[in-house]
Amino acid sequence: MTESLFVSQTADRKKIYEEITPQIAALVEGETDLTANLANIAAALKEAFGFFWIGFYVVKENQLVLSAFQGTIACTRIDFNRGVCGHCYTARKTVVVPNVEEFPGHIACSSASKSEIVLPVFDKNGAVAMVLDADSDRLDDFSEVDAEGLGKIVRIIEKLI
Ligand code: SME
């Protein structure tokens, strides 16, 4: 595995996604422990983008349960019909929320979180196995660039599960 992440000092997120995606693929190559891989992916994304919060909720016991993450402490269990994460799980698609205060049912783990993107991660049977959640302390911080860039990282995770 690679030992350090190379990230250009640029505000161009598309460029950063292009740089880090192959590095993340190399990071998880040869490691079979899922939690170890999710932890390193969360750390790599935090290092690359400085997201306020980035991490995974995995499907377990009929809920979304907090897994590897970087950021402040967060709620540990989310019902499938609650929050942005629950909506992502149920709708089975990427959800971008420019202003969390305008999203009915948003779960505020931190009052500093202003915008959010959540992506579903599918297992080999096509079921949602987990969600990848990124929060920003700035309004409207996520765009199609993040949906695509994080989507490619999700595809790497899907090969591991
Ligand atoms: N805001 C999320 C909950 C998880 S935290 O943001 C880490 C939601 O509404 O599902």
Side-chain angles (χ1 to χ4, degrees):
M1 64 168 265
T2 141
E3 284 178 10
S4 61
L5 199 67
F6 170 77
V7 187
S8 289
Q9 295 302 307
T10 172
D12 181 352
R13 280 199 189 161
K14 192 170 187 301
K15 181 174 163 55
I16 297 177
Y17 282 116
E18 282 165 8
E19 271 176 9
I20 65 166
T21 303
Q23 295 181 76
I24 286 178
L27 192 59
V28 300
E29 200 183 314
E31 176 51 65
T32 54
D33 188 276
L34 183 60
T35 305
N37 284 329
L38 296 181
N40 259 344
I41 292 170
L45 289 169
K46 173 78 173 178
E47 189 177 330
F49 298 105
F51 293 136
F52 174 74
W53 197 94
I54 176 91
F56 297 91
Y57 281 90
V58 300
V59 174
K60 213 183 256 187
E61 296 149 8
N62 242 10
Q63 285 180 309
L64 293 165
V65 181
L66 184 64
S67 182
F69 74 96
Q70 293 269 317
T72 53
I73 57 169
C75 48
T76 52
R77 287 172 185 267
I78 299 175
D79 289 334
F80 293 148
N81 61 354
R82 292 201 59 226
V84 186
C85 291
H87 181 60
C88 172
Y89 173 85
T90 312
R92 296 168 53 84
K93 60 175 194 191
T94 298
V95 182
V96 178
V97 180
N99 180 353
V100 295
E101 284 182 18
E102 290 174 0
F103 187 93
H106 167 256
I107 302 164
C109 291
S110 164
S111 58
S113 175
K114 302 278 189 261
S115 59
E116 183 163 357
I117 183 171
V118 187
L119 297 93
V121 182
F122 296 99
D123 67 18
K124 296 203 165 39
N125 299 318
V128 179
M130 66 185 85
V131 299
L132 170 58
D133 179 11
D135 288 38
S136 173
D137 55 6
R138 286 182 287 161
L139 281 169
D140 201 11
D141 200 20
F142 298 105
S143 70
E144 191 50 39
V145 168
D146 301 286
E148 263 182 41
L150 292 173
K152 288 189 181 139
I153 288 156
V154 162
R155 301 287 94 77
I156 295 171
I157 299 165
E158 286 170 342
K159 289 192 193 131
L160 304 169
I161 58 177

